Amino acid sequence: MQETILVHVSGLDRPGITAALMSRIADAGAEVVDVEQIAIRQRLHLSVLLVIPEGRDLLKELLLFGWERGMAVDFEVVQDTGPEPTPTDLSPDKGHAWAVTLLASRLDAAQLHAAATAIADAGGNIERITSLARYPVACYELLVRVVDDEPLRAGLLGASRQHRFDVAVQRAGLSRRAIRLVALDVDSTLIQNEVVDLLADVCGCGDAVAAITERAMAGELDFEAALRERVALLAGLPLADVERAREEVRLTPGARTFIRTLKRLGFRIALVSGGFTVFTDALKDELGVDYAFANTLEVVDGCLTGRVLGPVVDRRRKAALLAEVAAAEGIELSQTVAVGDGANDLDMLATAGLGIAFNAKPVVRDAADTAVSVPYLDAVLFVLGFRREDVDNADEEDGIAVEKPLIGR
């Protein structure tokens, strides 16, 4: 009678291994039911589920194949050859499939153990683990099947806080690939600066502006009142000094890679800032993003008047702008991502299909769908499921220099 065998092949990865193995299998007339292959640090791990016809001695041929190629070959008899569930299958007993992303400057065994334990405690099963990045951060994506995602989220969140890694839990399947619009906060997200502080420094009123900011953080002033009071201190500042302040803007590490990759993939990108258009308009042109919204400083006779024109871009306005851009582009809100760091971003993060807190204050981290706490904006790409290797390969094809990491970094 025919036999069903799961064959495991491992060893140094070289061109032609899979072709040679499949040649032996084809010559024996065996049926390939399923196959999985992965290479880790030039080590190949290949598994093939086979149905071997009666009277054919394929196992001896496969052992000879391993000896000739210097590969380890193991066999396992399998009783059930039913089809494996796909990541989008829903079964009452096995549950939905979820993409769990683990991210940190470095992920060690203790952190992976904590995540795996949380998944097991929630009744989940890890079906696949994929390495998305080794630099500038470490990132793994786990395909997890579980009936109830709430215990999964709660357990992973607790583990991430205790063991200091970031975690995102998203529904696996096509819907995750349907994201088409990303809205970005600017100050302390896209850039490392706070633009009102840059203007205050060149104006010589940095301490006074900082005092107003402290009162706002203490809850004594709302965002709009604090903004207008700080801008009033800038009255009389010449546009030449505004330009000096603009020259001090520093992009967050990974920002260019993040924007470039999103544009390459056809995403629409909107900058939604509680800062000022004199900064966001320049960033829009420099980075080639699609939209930029911020507060407009009134200028008379080449100097700031200390007033803001039009409605202030506060937390409600940010959420409204995200919805307006999505509607204009014909994009469902479920297909949007918002990234921000402060309380002014909370409504926007809640409105988006996926809200990501980037190096954010605790209140924002707790409210967002997920958080990224490493200082690289392109790490958000991994939360969206993209691999570092694919990003670098695309850059190299476009002639953009890519600095490869040392092995083991």
Side-chain angles (χ1 to χ4, degrees):
M1 60 180 293
Q2 64 182 20
E3 284 187 294
T4 301
I5 302 293
L6 184 58
V7 181
H8 302 285
V9 177
S10 60
L12 183 65
D13 190 20
R14 301 185 302 277
I17 295 291
T18 305
L21 177 65
M22 291 302 170
S23 175
R24 301 288 179 105
I25 294 171
D27 290 344
E31 176 189 356
V32 176
V33 178
D34 200 359
V35 60
E36 292 262 351
Q37 176 175 320
I38 188 171
I40 302 176
R41 298 293 182 91
Q42 298 183 320
R43 302 291 296 181
L44 175 71
H45 300 270
L46 172 61
S47 297
V48 187
L49 183 64
L50 299 173
V51 177
I52 303 175
E54 184 176 359
R56 303 304 294 264
D57 190 7
L58 177 58
L59 301 187
K60 187 178 294 184
E61 283 292 311
L62 294 177
L63 288 171
L64 179 61
F65 157 82
W67 180 80
E68 292 174 346
R69 299 274 174 165
M71 309 292 288
V73 179
D74 297 314
F75 307 101
E76 178 184 346
V77 177
V78 177
Q79 301 298 327
D80 181 14
T81 61
E84 282 290 311
T86 63
T88 54
D89 282 343
L90 171 61
S91 171
D93 58 333
K94 293 186 177 181
H96 291 285
W98 298 86
V100 174
T101 308
L102 310 177
L103 187 149
S105 296
R106 185 172 184 178
L107 283 167
D108 59 25
Q111 292 166 312
L112 295 173
H113 169 259
T117 299
I119 292 168
D121 289 347
N125 181 55
I126 301 173
E127 297 186 351
R128 185 173 67 240
I129 300 177
T130 304
S131 174
L132 297 183
R134 291 190 294 113
Y135 74 96
V137 297
C139 184
Y140 293 98
E141 182 177 282
L142 286 60
L143 181 66
V144 175
R145 192 170 297 276
V146 68
V147 173
D148 186 356
D149 66 295
E150 288 305 320
L152 176 70
R153 292 177 186 274
L156 284 168
L157 182 59
S160 72
R161 287 172 172 167
Q162 182 178 355
H163 293 272
R164 302 194 178 197
F165 61 88
D166 294 327
V167 63
V169 180
Q170 302 171 71
R171 187 72 168 270
L174 293 178
S175 61
R176 189 171 174 226
R177 306 299 180 190
I179 295 170
R180 297 169 54 198
L181 170 65
V182 174
L184 279 169
D185 173 48
V186 176
D187 291 16
S188 298
T189 300
L190 179 66
I191 66 174
Q192 301 177 61
N193 319 85
E194 294 286 332
V195 295
V196 70
D197 292 339
L198 294 178
L199 291 173
D201 287 342
V202 298
C203 189
C205 58
D207 290 343
V209 165
I212 297 170
T213 301
E214 186 174 346
R215 288 169 55 205
M217 294 291 289
E220 298 175 16
L221 294 171
D222 64 17
F223 177 84
E224 180 171 350
L227 178 74
R228 292 189 184 279
E229 192 169 334
R230 286 178 292 187
V231 169
L233 296 173
L234 304 175
L237 186 68
L239 286 181
D241 288 340
V242 173
E243 180 60 31
R244 281 174 49 209
R246 194 161 57 192
E247 291 173 356
E248 296 301 315
V249 168
R250 296 294 178 264
L251 291 171
T252 298
R256 292 186 187 279
T257 300
F258 182 62
I259 298 294
R260 181 171 64 244
T261 302
L262 293 179
K263 289 173 57 183
R264 183 183 286 138
L265 294 168
F267 282 65
R268 307 297 280 175
I269 306 167
L271 306 183
V272 186
S273 174
F276 308 114
T277 55
V278 291
F279 294 91
T280 56
D281 288 350
L283 288 166
K284 176 177 180 289
D285 293 340
E286 178 183 351
L287 298 173
V289 302
D290 304 288
Y291 299 90
F293 305 96
N295 300 296
T296 302
L297 296 171
E298 185 181 53
V299 178
V300 174
D301 297 330
C303 295
L304 301 186
T305 66
R307 291 187 293 270
V308 176
L309 298 176
V312 166
V313 181
D314 58 8
R315 59 186 287 177
R316 292 180 182 175
R317 182 64 180 148
K318 281 194 169 191
L321 287 167
L322 168 61
E324 289 173 16
V325 172
E329 293 286 345
I331 297 172
E332 298 289 336
L333 283 173
S334 61
Q335 297 174 295
T336 66
V337 172
V339 185
D341 76 300
N344 201 36
D345 300 308
L346 283 170
D347 290 4
M348 182 173 72
L349 298 181
T351 300
L354 177 65
I356 300 175
F358 181 75
N359 290 306
K361 285 74 175 175
V363 65
V364 182
R365 285 180 58 91
D366 292 343
D369 297 312
T370 189
V372 171
S373 56
V374 294
Y376 309 102
L377 190 58
D378 53 344
V380 174
L381 293 171
F382 311 139
V383 176
L384 302 181
F386 301 112
R387 298 192 308 161
R388 176 90 256 174
E389 180 183 3
D390 294 334
V391 174
D392 287 350
N393 288 344
D395 281 345
E396 288 177 343
E397 289 173 3
D398 289 344
I400 299 169
V402 176
E403 183 178 349
K404 298 291 187 177
L406 298 175
I407 291 178
R409 176 174 173 177

